[in-house]
Amino acid sequence: MGRDDSSKEVRVARNELALQPLSKTLATLAPGAVYLALAALLAAGAAVVVPDRLTTWLLLSVAGTLLVTSLVMRGTFLAQRARQSKLQDALAQFISHDASPSFTTDEAGEIGYQNRAALERFGSRGGQALARTLAELFADPAGVLRRLQNKADAMGAAREDLVTRRGHLRLSVHRIGEAGFLWRLEDMAERVIGGRGAETISLPMLTVSKGGTILFMNEALRRLVGERVRSLDRIFTDLPLRSGEEHEIRTEDGAVSAVVAQIEGAAGRSEVYLLPIAGPRRGAEGANFEALPVALLKLSAHGKVRAANRAARGLLGRVEPQLRLSDLLEGLGRPVSDWVNEALAGRADGRPEVLRVRRGDREVFLQVTLSRILENGRAGLLAVLSDATQLKTLEAQFVQSQKMQAIGQLAGGVAHDFNNLLTAISGHCDLLMLRHDKGDSDYADLDQISQNANRAAALVGQLLAFSRKQTLKPQILDLRDTLSELTHLLNRLVGEKVSLSVSHAPELQPVRADKRQLEQVIMNLVVNARDAMPGGGQIKVETELLRIDGDKQRDRVTVPMGDYVVIKVSDEGIGIAADKRGKIFEPFYTTKRTGEGTGLGLSTAYGIVKQTGGYIFCDSVVGSGTTFTILLPAYDQLAEASDPEPKEPPLGLTADRLATNAKPSGPAFASRRAEAEADGPGSNARPAHAARADATVLLVEDEAPVRAFASRALKLRGYTVLEADSAEEALELLEDPELTVDIFVTDVIMPGLDGPSWVREALKVRPGTRTVFMSGYAEDAFQDGTSPVENSVFLPKPFSLSELTATVQDQLG
C-alpha cells in the first residue's frame, strides 16, 4: 500500500469520526419513529371526537408535528444505513488487492470481510473471531487485539510491532463507521529485502535481535534447519557469531559448516546470511604440514581433530578422524573442552599445559600449546605438541626422593628418642634381673619386659634401616658362604608347604656389606614370598655376576656402569598389582590384613640395600609371581673376609614375624640371660671377667634415665663414675688438674656441644684418653663405620648392661 492510499484511508477515518456523534444519536432514535407515528394518529383521532374547536386544532397540530418528525427520523436512518453500506463496499474494494492480509470486524471481534491476501494466507474465516485466526502467529492474540481496539475506539487508529513465529509483524487497526474496525497485518522483513521479501531468495538468512532472538527465518533456512526456532543457540553451536568466519550449524542431517555474513541494522537488529563453503584446498600447504618436524594438530572450534601431521601421530599413536582433543589427552584436572574454549576466546592463547596421552602401550606426557588460527574463513586452533615424558619422569623422581627423605628424617628422629627410652627400660630391667634368679616369682615378669623391649628395639631398628641411620659394620663377604649359613634358618621359616632352592653362579665376586643386615634383607624377602603363596609353591634364591657396560635406566633410577653381584628372590605367588608396586618400599604400607604385618619388611630391606650402596627392584605379574632383584657393587680387591665379632644368630625376623615365628632373641637378650644365670641374685655380684678397679669413667648423657642406668652398671663392675648432663659441665670437671679420667663415655647428640666436639676439646689437654660414643642412631660421622675421634668406638642404643661394660673394658684394654 502506497503513501497516497494511506492518506486517503486516514481522511476517510477522520470523516467517519466527525459524524459519529450524530450517527449514534440517529441510530438510537430511529426505532422510535414508529412510535411517534402511532402517537400522531392517536392525537388526530382525539381531535375528531373533542367538541371544543380550539382543542381540536391544537391536537391536529401536535399530530402533524409528530408525523413529520417520524418521517424525518426514518428517512435519516435509511440514508445513514445506505451510506454505511456504501462505505463498506468501497472499503472492501479498496483493500481487496492489498498485499498485506486485512480483515474487518465488529466490536465483538467477529470477522466480516477478508481481502485476497488474508484468504490466501489464512483461508476463509468469515464469522470466526479474529483472535482465533491470529493465534497461529503469536501468543495471547486476544489481549493484543483488545488493547489495540480500545486505542482505536478512542483515537481512531492504533498499531503495534510484534515478534511472531514467522518473523517481525506490524499489526494496525482503524475505526470504520459506528461499530466496525479494519485490521491490517504487515511482515516487517519484506521491507528490508524489497520485492517479494526474503522468502524469494535461495540463500539461507535470518533476522536476529540484539538479544539473540530470531525475528525471522526465510524458507531456505527453515528447510535447512528443519523447523522454526526462536534463538541463535538452537542453530549455531559456536556462538558468538563472527562475520567472515566459519561456523557450525545444526541441521536435520547433522552438523554442517558455513561462512557467516552479518549485516548490522537499526535498533540492534541484524541480518545473518549463510554462505556455502568450497571443498578443502589441497596442495603444497598440506604437504608442508605433513612433513614438518614439529608435532602439530589442527583442531576445529569444538576441539575436534581436523588434521594431524606425521610427528603428531608418532606421539599420539593412531588418530581417528573427528576425535576430540579430550579423547586423546587427559590430566588437566578439569574438562579439556573448557581449556579449548578459553583458547578459542583468546584467554588461554599460548599457555602450555602438560597432559597425559590416552594410549595403552606406553606412558607418554606431552606439553601442549594452543593458538587460535583462521584458515579459509574457518576459526580453529593449532596445537603444538612436545614430548615431556622425560621431564615428567624427573619430576616424579624428585617428588619421590623428597617424600622418602622426609619420611626418613621423621623415622630417624622418632627412632633416636625411642632408643633412649628403650635403653633406660632394658637397662633397668637388666639391673633387676641381676637380683633375681629363675625361681623368683618376679623373674617371669622381668623376662616379659625384657622380651618386649627387644621386640620394640627390633621395630625401631627397622625404622633406622629405612632412614639409613643405622650403624653398619661392613666386611668382605662371599655370598655363597653367607647364604649357605642362612639356608637352615630359611628352611625353618618357609614351612612345609613351600620348597626353597638356593643356587649360585660358578664365579662370584665378594661384596662389602654388613653381614647381619644383609641376612635381614634376604630373610624379609623370603618371608614375604612365603606369605604370597598360602597354598604352597617354590621360592628360588639365586646369585649371579652382572656386568653393566653403560649407565642403565630402571624404575626411574640410573644404575652406573660396573660389576654387580645380583641376588634374586622369586616366588610363584599372587603377584603385586601395577598400581601398588610404586608404594611397596614405603614404610607402613602393606596389603596384608591387620595383625599380619606392619609394612616395615620391604622398607627395611630398601634402606639396608641403599645404605650399602646397592639397588633393589621388583618385577611382578599378577597371578604368576614376584621377583625381587638386589644389585650390590662387586668388591674389586681380593681379600679374605674377616669376622670381627663372634657369630650370633641374625636379626632376621622382622617385627612383623617376631610374634608368630620365633621367640624374641638376639645378642642383647642372650647376654643378659647369660649374666643373670652366671651371677645369680644379689646386687653385689661380681662380673665373670676382671675389671680395673682403679679406672675412672666420665659419663656424659643428657637423658637422666639413661645416665642413671649406665652409671649404676659401670659402678657394679667396679669403676669410679663421674656424671655430667652436658658437654659444658664435663669440660668444667676436666679443668681440675688433680682429676684423673681414664675413659670418656658420652652421648653424641646433646644440647649445646655435641659429643665429638667436646671430646676434641678435652683431648687437647688430656691426649690419649679413650672414648665410647653412644647414640640412638648413626650420625653422619659414624655411618661409614669409622669414628671421627682417635681411640674411640661407637656403641648404638639400645644397649644392655653387659654390652656397655664389655665395650668400656675393651677400650681400657
Side-chain angles (χ1 to χ4, degrees), residues 84-239:
Q84 189 167 357
S85 177
K86 184 179 180 181
L87 177 62
Q88 292 279 1
D89 293 340
L91 185 60
Q93 185 177 5
F94 177 71
I95 66 174
S96 62
H97 300 290
D98 191 357
S100 298
S102 301
F103 303 86
T104 60
T105 65
D106 57 14
E107 286 189 344
E110 185 177 313
I111 296 175
Y113 173 77
Q114 296 175 251
N115 68 351
R116 183 180 302 169
L119 288 171
E120 291 177 354
R121 185 166 179 178
F122 298 99
S124 178
R125 299 298 179 97
Q128 295 183 10
L130 180 61
R132 180 179 176 183
T133 301
L134 299 185
E136 301 175 4
L137 298 180
F138 56 89
D140 192 22
V144 175
L145 294 178
R146 183 167 55 253
R147 182 169 61 252
L148 290 176
Q149 187 169 310
N150 290 337
K151 287 184 180 179
D153 200 19
M155 303 176 60
R159 70 178 182 181
E160 186 172 331
D161 294 340
L162 305 169
V163 176
T164 71
R165 296 184 179 90
R166 292 185 60 87
H168 196 66
L169 177 71
R170 174 169 293 173
L171 177 61
S172 59
V173 58
H174 296 270
R175 180 70 185 243
I176 54 173
E178 300 168 0
F181 296 92
L182 171 64
W183 301 87
R184 188 168 184 270
L185 306 177
E186 183 179 3
D187 289 326
M188 300 298 293
E190 294 181 3
R191 290 188 175 183
V192 180
I193 305 300
R196 293 180 58 192
E199 298 288 357
T200 62
I201 64 175
S202 59
L203 195 66
M205 68 84 56
L206 59 87
T207 304
V208 61
S209 70
K210 186 176 182 180
T213 302
I214 297 177
L215 305 177
F216 173 76
M217 292 172 57
N218 71 347
E219 183 64 26
L221 184 56
R222 290 197 299 273
R223 285 197 306 268
L224 181 64
V225 176
E227 60 177 336
R228 175 73 170 87
V229 297
R230 298 184 179 181
S231 58
L232 283 178
D233 57 2
R234 296 285 301 279
I235 298 178
F236 298 94
T237 62
D238 48 356
L239 296 175

Side-chain angles (χ1 to χ4, degrees), residues 23 100 221 244 283 320 327 337 359 406 529 581 693 724:
S23 298
S100 298
L221 184 56
E320 298 289 343
D327 298 329
S337 58
R359 54 185 300 176
R581 284 202 294 270

Side-chain angles (χ1 to χ4, degrees), residues 430-588:
D430 285 346
L431 293 173
L432 287 172
M433 292 182 73
L434 289 176
R435 298 198 298 268
H436 296 77
D437 57 18
K438 291 184 178 180
D440 198 310
S441 59
D442 295 332
Y443 189 86
D445 296 334
L446 294 174
D447 191 30
Q448 283 295 320
I449 295 174
S450 178
Q451 291 186 33
N452 284 281
N454 276 333
R455 292 180 61 187
L459 182 62
V460 174
Q462 291 179 1
L463 288 176
L464 288 174
F466 167 74
S467 59
R468 307 179 207 175
K469 295 292 186 180
Q470 61 182 340
T471 306
L472 294 182
K473 297 180 180 179
Q475 56 191 104
I476 309 304
L477 300 176
D478 188 327
L479 288 181
R480 290 170 291 191
D481 297 336
T482 303
L483 288 175
S484 177
E485 296 173 3
L486 195 60
T487 301
H488 178 66
L489 181 58
L490 293 178
N491 282 320
R492 290 176 56 191
L493 282 176
V494 298
E496 299 178 354
K497 295 182 179 179
V498 178
S499 62
L500 176 69
S501 65
V502 180
S503 61
H504 304 285
E507 296 182 359
L508 204 62
Q509 293 187 23
V511 297
R512 187 173 184 270
D514 187 309
K515 181 179 179 181
R516 290 176 54 193
Q517 300 296 340
L518 186 57
E519 289 173 342
Q520 171 82 66
V521 171
I522 296 172
M523 293 182 70
N524 285 352
L525 296 179
V526 169
V527 168
N528 281 342
R530 179 202 66 187
D531 293 344
M533 299 185 296
Q538 184 179 21
I539 299 175
K540 294 181 180 180
V541 180
E542 303 170 291
T543 61
E544 62 182 8
L545 189 63
L546 175 66
R547 178 182 294 275
I548 299 178
D549 297 327
D551 292 350
K552 181 180 179 181
Q553 287 290 131
R554 172 72 194 274
D555 293 351
R556 300 177 179 175
V557 174
T558 301
V559 181
M561 60 181 298
D563 292 337
Y564 292 88
V565 176
V566 181
I567 307 172
K568 291 184 178 180
V569 180
S570 307
D571 64 62
E572 302 171 346
I574 58 176
I576 304 172
D579 59 334
K580 297 178 181 178
R581 284 202 294 270
K583 302 178 181 179
I584 58 175
F585 294 118
E586 296 180 6
F588 304 110

Side-chain angles (χ1 to χ4, degrees), residues 341-420:
N341 292 335
E342 288 183 4
L344 190 66
R347 295 192 299 272
D349 199 20
R351 186 179 67 200
E353 295 281 356
V354 177
L355 308 176
R356 181 178 178 273
V357 180
R358 297 180 184 268
R359 54 185 300 176
D361 55 343
R362 59 190 177 97
E363 190 173 55
V364 178
F365 291 91
L366 299 179
Q367 180 173 291
V368 185
T369 304
L370 296 181
S371 299
R372 188 173 181 272
I373 59 172
L374 188 64
E375 187 177 32
N376 298 334
R378 298 185 297 179
L381 295 170
L382 181 67
V384 182
L385 315 178
S386 58
D387 193 349
T389 305
Q390 187 175 7
L391 178 63
K392 200 70 176 176
T393 302
L394 292 175
E395 179 186 355
Q397 290 178 8
F398 177 75
V399 171
Q400 179 70 9
S401 174
Q402 291 291 98
K403 180 175 70 173
M404 300 296 274
Q405 181 180 358
I407 296 175
Q409 290 176 349
L410 175 63
V414 170
H416 181 273
D417 293 337
F418 266 88
N419 276 332
N420 279 326

